Amino acid sequence: MAQALADEGVEVDFHEMPRGFFALNRLPATVLAKRIIHLHWINDLIGHAVWPQRSLLRWIKLVCLGLDIVLLRLRGHLVVWTVHNLVSHESQNVQAELSARRMVARTCSRMVLHSESARRTVEGRFGMRFGSKAVVIRHGNYDGCYASDAASLAALQARLGHDGSCINLLFFGAVRRYKGVIQLIQAFSSTDNPSIRLTIAGNPNEADLREAIVAAGKADPRISLVLEFIPDQAVSSYFALADVVIIPFERTLTSGSAVLALTMGKATLLPQEARIFDLVDDRSSLFFADMADLQGVLSKLDKQDLSRRGAHARVLADALAWSGIAKALKRVYA
């Protein structure tokens, strides 16, 4: 995004999300010299207004959060917020966090959401209408981010023992409990389709989660576990071996994992709730209602069908070029 904006003549710098009381107005002078402050993942910014147990203290901090943004705007800044999710993935206090996010929505200058469905969902949960304050701009693709490497692909193929005859499912990315990896393994292992394989590639963030995944996957020889950080130069190899990318659960309003699968020209297997992304369709993806339904979908996978879906996925990715997204963002900034 930064590079595409630079190509449009927008000067872009980065800074960590600040924390604490009036954090935005305490940003360094080099940051406050910029006219536009574009907020993304705001967990750190709103944390002080979410965690207090006493309602009065939480209310005071909530007001301070709103004043922080208002004061920044009075100083001549445009405060833009890209809303990536309703609440943080592992929120401990959903209602308090929703209140903090409503405050940001009320006081910021403009909002960016990645789909019309996401906009409707956020408006419904926030109990407010955004009107012209909010604009829908899609999440861009990953073209040019991950180069293919024949040697890496051959090494991975040998490591996983994939000869191309089976249908290979891939779960890729940071392994978090909320993503339902354990449930995925259980659903997969309950399917007696001998022609499917599952690779889970990513680094678990908890030791006990890692142990649970290893224990769950140990009994099924069709499952390959690569529970480690995947370096950039190896990413394309994992997708090259996959016939379909499975994303069992994402409590979010958009999915970088789904965009990456589209970019790599791969079919996706997603929960029905993922339709909120307005990103994939019935030609690129297969959907399941729950883990029991997933078992039925897994038993009927067809390699040629998945190949056709992958080709359509790449067509969808072509519409997510960053050049157009940067132009839309520049109009928001203007």
Side-chain angles (χ1 to χ4, degrees):
M1 187 181 87
Q3 182 58 57
L5 285 168
D7 293 342
E8 290 295 319
V10 179
E11 182 181 335
V12 180
D13 289 323
F14 292 90
H15 196 277
E16 293 180 359
M17 187 66 72
R19 299 169 181 256
F21 281 104
F22 295 94
L24 292 173
N25 282 274
R26 292 188 289 104
L27 283 165
T30 53
V31 178
L32 293 178
K34 308 296 182 185
R35 189 178 75 85
I36 299 155
I37 306 295
H38 193 153
L39 308 175
H40 283 269
W41 299 92
I42 63 171
N43 298 356
D44 288 340
L45 179 68
I46 68 175
H48 73 93
V50 172
W51 302 122
Q53 296 299 312
R54 290 180 293 169
S55 58
L56 177 59
L57 180 58
R58 188 186 302 146
W59 180 84
I60 292 171
K61 291 191 172 186
L62 195 63
V63 172
C64 290
L65 171 65
L67 286 174
D68 190 19
I69 297 173
V70 170
L71 287 173
L72 196 64
R73 293 182 61 183
L74 290 174
R75 296 172 68 178
H77 295 281
L78 181 77
V79 181
V80 179
W81 175 31
T82 291
V83 188
H84 293 281
N85 51 9
L86 271 171
V87 294
S88 54
H89 292 310
E90 294 161 304
S91 178
Q92 300 299 308
N93 192 334
V94 171
Q95 291 306 314
E97 188 168 341
L98 283 172
S99 295
R101 288 171 179 266
R102 287 190 197 99
M103 181 62 75
V104 177
R106 289 190 181 100
T107 54
C108 71
S109 310
R110 300 296 301 276
M111 299 168 66
V112 176
L113 297 104
H114 289 312
S115 70
E116 289 291 348
S117 291
R119 177 183 178 134
R120 290 192 296 270
T121 298
V122 176
E123 286 183 335
R125 290 299 301 275
F126 283 16
M128 54 194 299
R129 291 290 178 263
F130 302 142
S132 60
K133 172 180 279 195
V135 61
V136 172
I137 301 176
R138 307 305 296 272
H139 185 308
N141 64 31
Y142 289 90
D143 281 346
C145 294
Y146 303 107
S148 58
D149 184 338
S152 174
L153 176 58
L156 182 62
Q157 194 167 17
R159 176 181 180 180
L160 300 180
H162 290 176
D163 60 8
S165 61
C166 291
I167 296 173
N168 295 313
L169 290 83
L170 174 66
F171 172 94
F172 184 89
V175 181
R176 301 292 184 264
R177 196 174 296 277
Y178 72 87
K179 291 187 178 182
V181 179
I182 299 296
Q183 295 90 328
L184 166 61
I185 293 175
Q186 292 170 345
F188 181 88
S189 295
S190 299
T191 306
D192 57 5
N193 186 344
S195 66
I196 59 176
R197 301 288 184 271
L198 170 63
T199 299
I200 296 175
N203 195 25
N205 66 331
E206 303 173 33
D208 58 344
L209 177 59
R210 177 187 296 272
E211 293 172 3
I213 291 172
V214 171
K218 188 177 296 184
D220 194 332
R222 299 172 300 168
I223 298 176
S224 298
L225 302 178
V226 187
L227 302 182
E228 61 194 43
F229 175 76
I230 309 300
D232 286 357
Q233 61 269 25
V235 169
S236 63
S237 297
Y238 281 90
F239 282 86
L241 292 180
D243 295 292
V244 58
V245 176
I246 183 164
I247 305 172
F249 179 73
E250 290 243 13
R251 187 172 57 186
T252 184
L253 300 173
T254 190
S255 172
S257 300
V259 176
L260 180 56
L262 295 182
T263 305
M264 297 294 183
K266 297 298 174 179
T268 47
L269 182 50
L270 300 157
Q272 289 287 356
E273 291 84 351
R275 293 183 184 274
I276 193 175
F277 304 154
D278 291 353
L279 180 66
V280 293
D281 58 26
D282 291 313
R283 293 177 60 192
S284 68
S285 305
L286 294 164
F287 297 92
F288 58 92
D290 50 35
M291 287 299 162
D293 188 34
L294 175 59
Q295 294 176 28
V297 176
L298 291 175
S299 67
K300 299 175 184 177
L301 291 178
D302 177 81
K303 201 173 183 73
Q304 290 186 339
D305 174 65
L306 293 173
S307 178
R308 288 191 293 269
R309 292 178 185 274
H312 180 64
R314 182 56 239 188
V315 173
L316 297 178
D318 288 337
L320 303 175
W322 279 104
S323 56
I325 291 168
K327 287 181 173 65
L329 280 170
K330 187 177 180 180
R331 288 194 293 270
V332 172
Y333 296 158

